[in-house]
Amino acid sequence: MDSDDESFGEHDSGNVSSGDDDFAMDVDINNPRDRGQETDEYPYDVLTTDEIVQHMVDCIKDVNTVVEIPATITRILLNHFKWDKEKLMERFYDGDQDKLFKDAHVINPFRKPSLALKPKIKKSRTEDCEICYSTFPPSMMTGLECGHRFCTQCWQEYLTTKIVEEGLGLSIACAAHGCDILVDDVTVMRLVQDPRVRLKYQHLITNSFVECNRLLRWCPSADCTYAIKVQYVDPRPVVCKCNHVFCFECGENWHDPVQCRLLKKWIKKCDDDSETSNWIAANTKECPKCNVTIEKDGGCNHMVCKNQNCKHDFCWVCLGSWEPHGSSWYNCNRYDEDEARAARDAQEKLRSTLARYLHYYNRYINHMQSLKFEHKLYAAVKEKMEEMQQHNMSWIEVQFLKKAVDILCQCRQTLMCTYVFAYYLKKNNQSQIFEENQRDLETATETLSEYLERDITSENLADIKQKVQDKYRYCEKRRKVLLDHVHEGYEKDWWEYTN
């Protein structure tokens, strides 16, 4: 990269490495490198912010050696194609180049500029700025290849607003009304003088590069500034240098055995339903005609659906049509009519659906909360490890306690995800085997958790190691059995899902 390199040559990455001061920071609740199966043949690199910037510069250079256009334009074109170099090359050589540059909102560098785009300089050797309507010498005016020129101060204020207030990076368009030509990064860095604004712009460019590039993903852990770079996208676990384990494809915490699409569907459902579902179950009913949820806010049992397309009149008590109730509504003398019975059946079906959701949701949340509580075990385990070291045990010999908590957290994470998988799973013979494996893992996990929380402090030091190892090894075994069974089901198409 030529002059364009200077824009990022002094880039302040803002990268903060995670320290190892806190014992709990070494936690790896679901480290796939320990399991070996998921990360086989899935290479990836963990990049610092400076390495990300260098990777971006290298991508631009790779393209420039072939297409031979200005690096600033190359950056905009790559961003337009989400940094897919092969796709850009294909369009550049096989397609309509004029359309390519137009779609990317840049001026075709191979076309000579039109005379109409030349600056309008008066006889007094001055130009008018069409933003502030002041007159300036040409040296104080600047513009893009589109020919729109404004004074330097107006450009600075315009770019500062776009960067600081709107958070725009490579998508800043020309300041002229109706012009969609993008401002290149060299122009921005030349015009913007405030170091804080320049730094913000550099961070926006870097962030845009990662988020647009399908082979890169920021680590989702709080305050982590590392990114993961892969060779191809796959729903596989990756481990950041901060020890956070997540799925590269969807960015969520590693969620084996449930697939990304089902987890995304579950998270959306929980966001929509979980806060109000208990209250709805206790305080509302559904309109027997359109199934809209209705709250009874008065003593009268004559209900009128508020859905503008329904307006159905029905009885709150029996859910039958209101019309045959007449003046004796309080006796509900039509309670056993076929219409009322059908309405009650529909109501019961909806209630059953809600009860089923709550069954899986409550267990999902319970393991999520238990997982948070398990992290407190690291403090207690650390004290026990220090006590053991005072009784002639080496640091390596006492690591079994930390490993036990690591495995406990792995099991909690897996169990949490199994309830998402089970919610969408249709019943068959294999699903029954899955539920048995789930039960066995849950029982083993609770046994290990209870021992570590309650019994470990009262046990003789000599007996602890064997008991802990026996329990966490059994948990590991049950977890592997469950995951292997689910993965085998994926390969053999055992699993069918509800809508």
Side-chain angles (χ1 to χ4, degrees), residues 42-58:
Y42 189 59
Y44 63 89
D45 297 308
V46 183
L47 306 181
T48 66
T49 315
D50 290 332
E51 290 170 334
I52 295 168
V53 172
Q54 186 57 51
H55 178 46
M56 176 169 55
V57 171
D58 292 341

Side-chain angles (χ1 to χ4, degrees), residues 395-461:
W395 181 83
I396 294 177
E397 289 177 319
V398 300
Q399 288 302 301
F400 72 92
L401 278 176
K402 179 179 177 296
K403 183 174 182 180
V405 183
D406 287 343
I407 290 173
L408 176 61
C409 292
Q410 289 178 18
C411 292
R412 289 288 188 200
Q413 180 78 15
T414 299
L415 282 167
M416 187 174 76
C417 295
T418 61
Y419 281 103
V420 181
F421 179 74
Y423 176 74
Y424 292 105
L425 196 62
K426 284 186 177 179
K427 297 290 185 182
N428 59 26
N429 291 338
Q430 294 298 331
S431 71
Q432 293 179 5
I433 296 174
F434 164 77
E435 289 176 345
E436 291 173 1
N437 289 334
Q438 184 188 44
R439 179 200 61 204
D440 292 344
L441 175 59
E442 200 157 35
T443 302
T445 300
E446 297 300 342
T447 301
L448 176 60
S449 178
E450 183 177 11
Y451 183 78
L452 290 175
E453 285 185 12
R454 300 179 185 178
D455 300 333
I456 194 171
T457 54
S458 60
E459 287 278 359
N460 187 293
L461 292 180

